[in-house]
Amino acid sequence: MADTIEKNVTRGGQFLVKETKCEDVFTPEDFSEEQLMMRDSVKEFVDKELWAHKDRFEKKDYAYTEASMRKAGELGLLGVAVPEEYGGLGMGFVSTMLVCDYISGATGSFSTAFGAHTGIGTMPITLYGTEEQKKKYVPKLATGEWFGAYCLTEPGAGSDANSGKTKAVLSEDGKYYSITGQKMWISNAGFCSVFIVFARIGDDKNITGFIVENDPSNGISMNEEEHKLGIRASSTRQVFFNDTKVPVENMLSERGNGFKIAMNALNVGRIKLAAACLDAQRRVTSNAVKYANERIQFNTAISSFGAIRSKLAEMATNAYAGESASYRAAKDIEDRIAAREAEGTSHQEAELKGVEEYAIECSILKVAVSEDVQSCADEGIQIFGGMGFSEDTPMESAWRDARIARIYEGTNEINRMLSVGMLIKKAMKGHVDLLGPAMKVQEELMGIPSFDTPDFSELFAEEKGIIANLKKVFLMVAGSAVQKYGPDLDSHQQLLMAASDILIEVYMAESTILRTEKLAKNQGEAKVQEQIAMAKLYLYKAVDIVNSRGKEGIISFAEGDEQRMMLMGLKRFTKYTNNPNVVALRETITSKLVAENEYCF
């Protein structure tokens, strides 16, 4: 079965060693009519119910968050990823990403409630639950009759999720478990009906998952709402379990399988979190453009000033890159799920394995897009000037809400190390051939470079050559590090972080180039000059990051002749034949934004 899938669908992480054709990537321009209708209905809901009442979320109106979630449930938006037989819409992975994207742009309070409920609150039951568990709980969760929450983090167990101290003790008659322990940072705790709780049975190496109904008379109590920097109307509480009785049939999956459930739930959560940061960037950019067009200083709209135009171009470019990479990965996951189902695998197993296959891309996207949304909101404040710092404009709340995205679903530091670590593990299992390409790079470094000038007449010919070279930088740095440190590489975190930044930039830049190349082929280059400019601008910035992080890695672990040879290779692999006119690229992008008075790509 795996062989058949291998022929049809690229494996996770293979983008690094296989050339991808633009025709083989899915882009936002490929949305179906049904998907566009779904997007428009979600936008209508957000504008009417969320954006128009943004002040209520900022004033910690938890009841309004709950009421908005109920309305989303009535519209079917809480059940987009739930199979039809359990009361959901049974949509494909791309469509579920699309809903998560457009429902999340108005306020982080609602998007956190939505993500916690649909993702880590509902999904573990749909993917790991027994038929009886799914029939009992999922229909209520899909319609918003009930809400879900996820209890993993503890005071002493954050990033080290498997170190939790919450205990589950089997009763003498074997009919129920008694759960005792403390959980913290539990989203939706204040209004949820059911918890997914992780606890340890005896001295088990791994934790176990349980479905626990929220009944205060059953030893469940909570602290008051947490006072947070952002996502102010997202209910976040500590939850205490004191001999809470849970029937044995409410164990989720098997004993000791909780850590696996938690990690797989986080993989889905990571790519969905990237999606949840996209519309926020579009809205912040649109608001910044509108303000810049309206704000007059020195008798001129500030949108005509180069310093402002530069910011707007970078904000739009990062949003465009985030869209490009997120939907590329989402379709890869969807295709992988479909291929496994076609081979006779159950939907549950196919979805689990499909997402797990692209765990590297999920971590890359989580890091890249969460950092871009923070940067976007920060520049939004700067464009608004003093007004940006005021609660009277939406910028300061966007900035505060964006900050959590770099922390939850695994911190960005954890995800950086995971992305490289998972790639190396895949290589060791033979799922991705890194060794062959890494050896070729070493041979190339030892050889005499070609001084021929390639033919760059085709669109993106030089840029695609540069992407191929950036992949060589990763193989050079990571390959040498693996050779030097072997299994001890995990303990060299700063080196892993540098390698991860190279990996991230390769995936994001390539996705942006491929989307734009496909667009140019379908619509003609003349009609997509701004997108071409964004793709080139993103790559230019990526090359700088790869150069900087590559150098840091090389001079930190290589010495003497090896260091000199690798630095020469780095210089060769990050060199343009024709440097882009960066200011002209930004001008092209901003002229379109200013003319359209919004993010328009």
Side-chain angles (χ1 to χ4, degrees):
M1 180 180 84
D3 292 340
T4 314
I5 293 173
E6 180 65 16
K7 286 172 192 166
N8 298 330
V9 187
T10 303
R11 295 198 76 136
Q14 276 188 337
F15 70 89
L16 192 66
V17 291
K18 281 179 96 170
E19 186 183 352
T20 306
K21 292 184 169 65
C22 70
E23 292 83 6
D24 295 335
V25 298
F26 182 86
T27 75
E29 289 75 31
D30 297 323
F31 290 143
S32 66
E33 283 299 317
E34 182 188 33
Q35 286 169 330
L36 291 172
M37 285 169 62
M38 175 58 87
R39 179 197 68 185
D40 291 344
S41 67
V42 171
K43 284 170 74 174
E44 185 182 344
F45 165 76
V46 171
D47 287 335
K48 184 180 169 189
E49 304 294 343
L50 308 181
W51 188 260
H53 303 282
K54 196 170 169 67
D55 60 320
R56 296 184 69 169
F57 294 101
E58 295 316 307
K59 289 171 182 169
K60 304 186 181 182
D61 190 340
Y62 301 105
Y64 191 70
T65 301
E66 184 180 352
S68 301
M69 285 285 286
R70 294 210 184 279
K71 284 179 184 171
E74 289 161 14
L75 291 170
L77 299 176
L78 300 182
V80 287
V82 172
E84 290 180 61
E85 59 263 40
Y86 306 113
L89 298 179
M91 290 186 160
F93 200 84
V94 171
S95 296
T96 67
M97 279 279 285
L98 182 66
V99 171
C100 189
D101 172 352
Y102 281 91
I103 210 164
S104 301
T107 165
S109 296
F110 180 85
S111 62
T112 299
F114 177 85
H117 171 79
T118 58
I120 50 182
T122 304
M123 188 186 56
I125 305 177
T126 62
L127 295 186
Y128 286 98
T130 62
E131 194 58 32
E132 292 73 23
Q133 288 169 347
K134 286 188 284 190
K135 282 178 177 171
K136 181 176 181 181
Y137 293 108
V138 177
K140 289 178 178 177
L141 293 165
T143 58
E145 181 185 343
W146 278 21
F147 294 116
Y150 180 85
C151 296
L152 177 64
T153 304
E154 299 182 14
S159 296
D160 184 8
N162 202 35
S163 65
K165 300 286 190 289
T166 297
K167 289 287 182 189
V169 180
L170 186 63
S171 62
E172 287 185 13
D173 60 10
K175 290 184 177 178
Y176 61 87
Y177 284 92
S178 285
I179 294 181
T180 300
Q182 176 185 358
K183 299 291 183 176
M184 66 189 303
W185 310 123
I186 308 306
S187 297
N188 294 354
F191 61 86
C192 79
S193 318
V194 64
F195 297 104
I196 307 294
V197 181
F198 295 91
R200 194 177 311 278
I201 302 171
D203 294 323
D204 286 2
K205 178 186 174 186
N206 291 324
I207 51 181
T208 298
F210 296 89
I211 303 168
V212 182
E213 293 182 24
N214 184 7
D215 177 3
S217 68
N218 186 20
I220 300 175
S221 59
M222 298 181 198
N223 270 9
E224 291 299 306
E225 293 286 354
E226 299 285 355
H227 299 288
K228 308 182 297 291
L229 172 71
I231 56 171
R232 286 181 170 173
S234 159
S235 175
T236 312
R237 292 185 172 192
Q238 289 191 47
V239 182
F240 301 91
F241 299 94
N242 186 13
D243 279 334
T244 300
K245 292 177 175 53
V246 183
V248 290
E249 59 267 25
N250 274 30
M251 181 186 286
L252 193 56
S253 186
E254 301 158 13
R255 177 172 174 170
N257 216 22
F259 186 61
K260 190 174 181 183
I261 295 171
M263 291 304 99
N264 281 327
L266 288 172
N267 285 334
V268 183
R270 282 163 186 157
I271 189 169
K272 293 284 179 74
L273 178 59
C277 293
L278 293 174
D279 198 49
Q281 289 183 75
R282 295 188 201 102
R283 284 177 183 265
V284 167
T285 303
S286 290
N287 273 295
V289 172
K290 285 181 173 70
Y291 184 82
N293 277 337
E294 291 165 6
R295 174 69 168 162
I296 306 296
Q297 289 292 277
F298 309 105
N299 297 320
T300 311
I302 65 170
S303 60
S304 65
F305 297 146
I308 301 296
R309 294 173 78 82
S310 171
K311 293 181 188 300
L312 293 172
E314 300 283 353
M315 291 158 74
T317 296
N318 286 340
Y320 179 77
E323 291 171 353
S324 307
S326 296
Y327 286 104
R328 173 191 183 181
K331 187 63 162 67
D332 283 341
I333 291 171
E334 184 170 288
D335 288 347
R336 188 87 182 175
I337 293 168
R340 284 195 169 270
E341 286 183 322
E343 297 286 358
T345 307
S346 71
H347 176 75
Q348 273 175 292
E349 185 69 10
E351 184 150 336
L352 275 170
K353 293 295 182 186
V355 175
E356 192 177 356
E357 178 64 48
Y358 290 95
I360 294 164
E361 286 82 353
C362 292
S363 280
I364 285 171
L365 287 163
K366 192 275 180 184
V367 173
V369 188
S370 68
E371 292 182 0
D372 283 342
V373 74
Q374 183 84 64
S375 168
C376 183
D378 198 68
E379 292 289 43
I381 289 177
Q382 199 69 12
I383 289 167
F384 270 66
M387 285 304 295
F389 206 70
S390 165
E391 290 186 1
D392 292 338
T393 63
M395 289 299 165
E396 64 88 34
S397 63
W399 186 88
R400 285 188 288 98
D401 283 354
R403 188 60 187 85
I404 188 62
R406 286 152 58 196
I407 297 171
Y408 57 20
E409 308 293 358
T411 66
N412 283 11
E413 290 71 27
I414 289 284
N415 274 286
R416 277 186 161 89
M417 289 183 285
L418 270 177
S419 60
V420 178
M422 288 187 291
L423 187 61
I424 292 168
K425 278 179 188 162
K426 276 200 161 197
M428 288 175 174
K429 287 180 182 174
H431 292 172
V432 178
D433 177 21
L434 290 187
L435 189 60
M439 294 294 285
K440 281 184 183 172
V441 173
Q442 281 199 330
E443 288 167 20
E444 189 176 338
L445 289 176
M446 302 293 284
I448 300 167
S450 167
F451 294 103
D452 296 338
T453 304
D455 176 13
F456 292 142
S457 55
E458 267 193 36
L459 177 67
F460 292 138
E462 179 168 5
E463 286 76 11
K464 283 157 80 174
I466 289 170
I467 296 263
N469 281 340
L470 298 185
K471 294 178 182 182
K472 291 175 186 176
V473 174
F474 178 84
L475 292 166
M476 176 177 72
V477 172
S480 299
V482 169
Q483 279 183 329
K484 187 174 179 84
Y485 299 116
D488 292 334
L489 184 60
D490 278 356
S491 62
H492 296 270
Q493 291 190 352
Q494 293 187 54
L495 186 54
L496 282 172
M497 301 274 277
S500 171
D501 282 345
I502 298 169
L503 188 67
I504 289 166
E505 292 307 322
V506 166
Y507 188 72
M508 299 300 290
E510 182 180 65
S511 300
T512 311
I513 294 280
L514 291 172
R515 173 188 181 180
T516 312
E517 184 187 11
K518 186 176 184 180
L519 198 55
K521 283 186 177 180
N522 291 338
Q523 296 186 18
E525 287 182 38
K527 289 187 177 175
V528 293
Q529 286 300 303
E530 295 82 15
Q531 287 92 331
I532 290 170
M534 287 193 285
K536 289 183 175 183
L537 179 61
Y538 191 92
L539 178 63
Y540 175 79
K541 306 282 281 197
V543 169
D544 260 3
I545 292 168
V546 170
N547 196 15
S548 169
R549 301 298 269 152
K551 182 180 178 183
E552 182 184 319
I554 291 164
I555 62 177
S556 298
F557 74 81
E559 296 174 338
D561 288 343
E562 183 193 16
Q563 186 189 94
R564 279 190 289 276
M565 184 179 72
M566 289 177 74
L567 287 173
M568 283 173 63
L570 179 66
K571 189 174 180 181
R572 189 196 310 176
F573 295 145
T574 55
K575 184 183 176 187
Y576 276 89
T577 303
N578 304 289
N579 284 301
N581 182 333
V582 178
V583 172
L585 293 177
R586 291 197 193 111
E587 277 300 308
T588 299
I589 299 159
T590 310
S591 295
K592 177 79 167 175
L593 290 169
V594 167
E596 298 286 339
N597 204 30
E598 64 178 356
Y599 178 86
C600 51
F601 304 110

